[in-house]
Amino acid sequence: MSTLDVIVATIGRAHGLRGEVALILRTDQPEERLQPGAVFTVEVAGRPRTLTVGSTRRQQDRWYVRFDEVGDRTDAESLRGIDLQIGVDSQQEADEDPEAWYPSQLKGLRVQHVDGRELGTVVGIDHYPAQDLLIVRTTDRRRVQLPLVEELVPEVDLEAGVVIADPPGGLFDVLPEDEQGPEPETSAPARTER
């Protein structure tokens, strides 16, 4: 069995006084992966820690979780920014959804424009509330953030090792250096004689 590490969610801010936290979801299966009893091993301040999902709830499209091991707001705040990660069977996941991919599988893939030009290589992914951004190292070693939305990234082909991109004009273009025009005139105040 080949295991793939998958980030289910990132812990957000504490909610209330009894240790509940908001979650930033990174999965499309939160009901399955965040069931009560699910156990996550995380690192907090350089030390391993186990978090067991005690309960979850949704409120206005946000997910909140209470862990059995977290009893107050201070402890909950110490978890902010921690990723909840699980190992999944990569073959089983591929069988269930052949079109699915995970962020860890994108690192190292070539990024190619829809017209065939090489744009660079995926070096990472930044997660933001609105959308994820592919971090691409261009062929001339620049770093470009490409929004990971279907309109701009219409295809991810893991077997071919390529991400097909249709970025907006200018995103991957090298910007010319500022052209120096004529020297500006000095703005020293004019002298008036009396």
Side-chain angles (χ1 to χ4, degrees):
M1 174 176 100
S2 175
T3 303
L4 183 65
D5 290 330
V6 175
I7 297 174
V8 174
T10 301
I11 298 175
R13 63 181 175 205
H15 186 77
L17 301 175
R18 296 192 176 144
E20 187 176 53
V21 293
L23 294 180
I24 301 163
L25 294 180
R26 305 277 184 234
T27 181
D28 56 357
Q29 301 170 336
E31 294 87 359
E32 178 183 324
R33 296 190 171 162
L34 292 167
Q35 290 182 0
V39 177
F40 297 93
T41 302
V42 299
E43 190 172 304
V44 180
R47 304 180 82 182
R49 183 165 178 190
T50 300
L51 297 174
T52 307
V53 175
S55 63
T56 61
R57 68 181 179 89
R58 288 177 62 184
Q59 180 179 345
Q60 298 176 349
D61 294 328
R62 296 226 30 168
W63 277 74
Y64 297 91
V65 67
R66 179 168 287 129
F67 296 108
D68 292 341
E69 298 82 2
V70 179
D72 62 41
R73 183 177 186 88
T74 303
D75 196 12
E77 269 302 322
S78 74
L79 301 174
R80 191 173 192 168
I82 302 247
D83 289 330
L84 300 176
Q85 186 170 299
I86 61 170
V88 297
D89 181 339
S90 58
Q91 187 58 50
Q92 180 181 350
E93 293 290 309
D95 290 344
E96 287 177 11
D97 188 355
E99 299 294 315
W101 44 263
Y102 295 95
S104 61
Q105 294 174 302
L106 299 179
K107 289 182 184 175
L109 295 185
R110 292 178 301 115
V111 179
Q112 186 175 6
H113 194 281
V114 291
D115 67 10
R117 290 180 288 144
E118 289 293 320
L119 297 174
T121 304
V122 176
V123 294
I125 295 180
D126 283 345
H127 302 286
Y128 291 97
Q131 66 201 13
D132 293 335
L133 298 174
L134 279 180
I135 308 305
V136 179
R137 178 69 60 206
T138 64
T139 55
D140 61 352
R141 308 295 301 153
R142 290 178 297 117
R143 180 180 184 269
V144 174
Q145 294 179 316
L146 176 64
L148 189 52
V149 294
E150 190 172 357
E151 295 81 25
L152 303 180
V153 182
E155 184 179 349
V156 174
D157 188 341
L158 295 177
E159 286 185 22
V162 67
V163 172
I164 304 298
D166 189 9
L171 187 61
F172 281 86
D173 298 336
V174 177
L175 298 175
E177 300 228 5
D178 290 338
E179 293 182 18
Q180 295 294 326
E183 289 294 318
E185 294 183 30
T186 60
S187 58
R191 291 186 131 202
T192 57
E193 294 194 27
R194 291 191 186 222

